[in-house]
Amino acid sequence: MIYLDYTSTTPVRDEVLESFIKTTKNFWGNPSSIHKLGLISENLLTMARGQMKDLIDAKNYEVIFTGSATEASNLAIKGICFQNATRGKHIITTLVEHPSVFNTFKQLESEGYEVTFLQVDKDGRINVEDLEKSLRDDTILVSIMYVNNEIGTIMPIEEIGEILSKFPKIAYHVDIVQALGRLPVRLADMQIDLATLSAHKIYGLKGSGALFIKKGLMLKPQQIGGSQEFNLRAGTVDVPSCVALAKAMRLIIEDIDENYKYVKRLNIQLRKILSNYQQIVINSPIENCSPFIINCSLRGIKSETFVHAFEKSKIYFSTKSACSSKKNEPSRILRAIGLDEELSTNEIRFSLSHLTTSQEIITFENTLQEVIKELK
Amino acid sequence: MLYDRILVKYGELTLKGKNKASFINQTIRTIKEKCKKFEKLEYINNFERFYIILNGEDYEKVTEALNNVFGLHSYSLTAKCESNLEAIKDLAKKVVETEIKVKTTFKVETNRVDKNFPMTSLEVSKVVASHVLKNSPHLIVNVRNPEITLKVEIRSNGTYIMTKEIIGLGGLPVGMDGKGILMLSGGIDSPVAGFFIQKRGVSIDMLHFSSPPYTSDRSKQKVFDLTEKLAKYAPKNRIRVFNIPFTKLQKAIYDNCPESYNITIMRRMMYRIAEKVAKKNKAVIIINGENVGQVASQTLQSMYVINNVTSMPIIRPVATMDKIEIIKIAKKIETYDISIRPYEDCCTIFVPKHPVTKPELDKCIEYENNFDYEAYITECIENIEVIDVNAGNPPKIVSSSDIGSLF
């Protein structure tokens, strides 16, 4: 099998799974129980949080464990909006966010919030001046993704943080799902207030995510019940998942520089191959783009057919982001960067990993030749 | 990297007479200990001034470490360039660009130590100010009362430029004046007392009383976590905790003395134990978080009666502070969130319905003669539990061997 869809999800690392299993077997106490078994689980939870904070410069943050990045983003966005509705109802995001953010903003819009959806340029990046101009007295939230999950574009997260630092009443939420473990993430340094991440994108388990919240920031809880997770996310905490997430984060961040350099080389190799075919248009920008993602459009070939044509050789990649690929309509992101309907509809996305080998890319190239011939 | 070194200024310890050198040496030792993890640092000791040469280490992380050192009045991030006008202008502009992001009033102050430099201090200030002004939209000159003073120091080996002075913790270097025993209950006040006593240069050991099963492992964890927050000020980043198993003695008091005197007598027992632990560990004072008038055992009459069991000095750093002030400090030193965890400690169990607010000394002695408390005290001391708590790594109830490679 050749898997080129690491942006959709990643295989679990053995070490991470081992931590999960050990914690599940040996430390199954409820961290909220008052007895020693409970305290031990609470200890593990504290250690997991501490390690995660250390890894992304987040000493002054709380970590809320969630069931997914989607849940984390919902909590961040709605938590801020519902908490601050009396102060203002203007919120800002971009046209190219992941559905978990974009559709949450859409929902809020239908409930009376005023949303500014920032346009992006042909590379998929917002213009910082546009953001500055759209800030108002009643703006309460800005949510911008770090790395675009479809095309890999890196947003000017630090620059935005710098601008928003002059507006202490505006909360700054960043979806770091595709950046974590791939690009440098330093929450305090980047002046981020809220950050969403996911375990299964960093060789951790599915069903596990987290929201980092700068201390002192008030959110309205979106799930009501017990007082777990600082009263922000009721429900018995899944300690094994939390421990596994902390471990996955450590392992991926430890090798971040090495992996980046390695994947950058694979990226160049793959780009070169793809650019040999006039049927393939590469959409991911070369500059300020995550090397882990190469997004393309097909001319004269349906992306679905294309993906299926590779299946028999057990080569897997995506048509578009897994979270929006069920519908056969143009990609919102590709439309936003100015592509026509055909190119926006026939989108394919390759995503790489430190697990990808150069040989796999060569095998892919051979299959690509055949497929293009066959589909002509 | 823009900044090349950090200039450290000492606090009131420079007012010391003959002992000044030993105060400064202790401060330097502490700085070096706190900065040990930054291997590339070099130090230059000028007696009145102390330079930390960064050699590429992250200045923010280094200043963070310096923020835990008592004895420092202030420190300034300093950039260095060659002593020629173009280089100075260029560096001044860079420093301003890095430091100043909002509208600010400023002036330039030049000190020409190297008199061979071809311009006067005033001339340099003028040229640098106008260069910086031209290039920064945020600056307004104000020579009388500026928010920021850009200091330019021209020396023969190079020119140093610095802007803001970061105010340090002040106080005296910890470890200068012997050791004390801090009675740490788990409440809000005693950690703050621990912060203040360290500020005066006193090293501390912690004394905690636990009464299982009335108190739980969680309240012990609380004590570890509180100690961890205070350990970062200790010279070796470590504070020792003495945990006294207090249940039997507390029960004996309950069984043998009138209920209204329970707390008074319990406190007297605690002082007796504290004195014994202190003497055994070369400590000469007892410190606690008592606050005049806060609870029944902290009325003046109570303090008098309770204090009567020992002649060892008892320092109460927060005695006269308002609760609001104490909470403010507790939040600053990050102990507040830990202190408000809702677990029972030995002072919240066996609490009488109507504690005596004006206890009498004679009565205390009379009630204490009802039982052989010395034997209980000896037992407490014999079964003392000793735990060393390191900054950054509070001990956990779960043992590290159990955790193995989980993380």
Side-chain angles (χ1 to χ4, degrees), chain B residues 174-209:
Chain B
V174 179
M176 269 321 284
D177 195 18
K179 195 162 73 174
I181 293 280
L182 174 70
M183 298 164 73
L184 189 73
S185 61
I188 295 166
D189 303 340
S190 45
V192 175
F195 172 78
F196 281 128
I197 197 69
Q198 290 191 94
K199 185 171 181 177
R200 297 314 297 169
V202 178
S203 357
I204 47 174
D205 286 342
M206 303 298 195
L207 184 63
H208 178 71
F209 297 87

Side-chain angles (χ1 to χ4, degrees), chain A residues 319-336:
Chain A
T319 48
K320 44 182 138 170
S321 121
C323 292
S324 19
S325 61
K326 295 259 161 72
K327 289 171 276 175
N328 189 21
E329 47 187 46
S331 148
R332 165 166 54 82
I333 283 77
L334 296 188
R335 285 316 290 248

Side-chain angles (χ1 to χ4, degrees), chain B residues 148-287:
Chain B
I148 292 229
T149 303
L150 190 73
K151 288 187 181 155
V152 179
E153 209 174 274
I154 303 170
R155 293 176 180 270
S156 55
N157 66 344
T159 293
Y160 301 101
I161 295 180
M162 55 202 113
T163 51
K164 59 179 173 197
E165 208 176 13
I166 303 162
I167 300 300
L169 281 180
L172 300 172
V174 179
M176 269 321 284
D177 195 18
K179 195 162 73 174
I181 293 280
L182 174 70
M183 298 164 73
L184 189 73
S185 61
I188 295 166
D189 303 340
S190 45
V192 175
F195 172 78
F196 281 128
I197 197 69
Q198 290 191 94
K199 185 171 181 177
R200 297 314 297 169
V202 178
S203 357
I204 47 174
D205 286 342
M206 303 298 195
L207 184 63
H208 178 71
F209 297 87
S210 47
S211 298
Y214 301 97
T215 64
S216 71
D217 282 334
R218 272 194 162 80
S219 67
K220 219 157 111 182
Q221 182 73 56
K222 197 170 156 181
V223 167
F224 293 159
D225 292 350
L226 288 172
T227 305
E228 189 267 327
K229 293 291 179 200
L230 292 168
K232 63 171 177 264
Y233 308 107
K236 301 257 182 232
N237 296 316
R238 186 191 311 129
I239 291 180
R240 176 159 285 185
V241 177
F242 295 110
N243 184 42
I244 301 281
F246 202 47
T247 317
K248 280 189 186 167
L249 177 51
Q250 222 175 342
K251 270 189 165 165
I253 298 168
Y254 187 76
D255 290 341
N256 293 295
C257 308
E259 199 194 351
S260 64
Y261 268 74
N262 271 352
I263 296 286
T264 313
I265 291 172
M266 180 189 80
R267 299 290 295 174
R268 283 164 61 88
M269 296 300 168
M270 284 177 170
Y271 275 1
R272 288 184 174 111
I273 292 170
E275 188 189 72
K276 284 199 160 60
V277 175
K279 281 183 176 159
K280 231 175 155 175
N281 293 283
K282 299 194 179 107
V284 289
I285 57 165
I286 297 167
I287 307 112

Side-chain angles (χ1 to χ4, degrees), chain B residues 277-343:
Chain B
V277 175
K279 281 183 176 159
K280 231 175 155 175
N281 293 283
K282 299 194 179 107
V284 289
I285 57 165
I286 297 167
I287 307 112
N288 64 33
E290 282 182 345
N291 182 252
V292 175
Q294 195 179 91
V295 291
S297 65
Q298 295 175 8
T299 62
L300 292 185
Q301 179 63 23
S302 284
M303 280 189 180
Y304 165 71
V305 168
I306 293 167
N307 209 149
N308 203 267
V309 298
T310 175
S311 60
M312 198 172 258
I314 297 176
I315 312 267
R316 302 173 174 87
V318 301
T320 61
M321 289 171 77
D322 283 353
K323 195 76 184 181
I324 293 168
E325 297 173 73
I326 300 174
I327 288 175
K328 214 168 128 190
I329 306 283
K331 284 184 174 164
K332 207 178 92 187
I333 62 172
E334 299 174 332
T335 55
Y336 181 78
D337 286 343
I338 302 168
S339 290
I340 59 172
R341 289 183 203 159
Y343 313 123

Side-chain angles (χ1 to χ4, degrees), chain A residues 223-283:
Chain A
Q223 180 167 305
I224 309 301
S227 63
Q228 293 92 347
E229 299 299 275
F230 314 92
N231 278 317
L232 281 174
R233 203 254 191 184
T236 300
V237 183
D238 176 1
V239 179
S241 282
C242 304
V243 170
L245 172 52
K247 185 161 195 180
M249 254 175 95
R250 174 175 72 77
L251 292 173
I252 197 69
I253 288 175
E254 267 176 8
D255 294 336
I256 191 165
D257 293 337
E258 208 177 302
N259 289 348
Y260 184 91
K261 279 184 209 143
Y262 175 74
V263 169
K264 182 90 197 169
R265 279 203 301 275
L266 293 177
N267 178 290
I268 292 167
Q269 188 190 356
L270 181 56
R271 263 181 184 269
K272 215 167 157 188
I273 293 165
L274 295 169
S275 58
N276 287 333
Y277 296 88
Q278 56 171 32
Q279 295 90 337
I280 299 174
V281 182
I282 300 180
N283 298 322

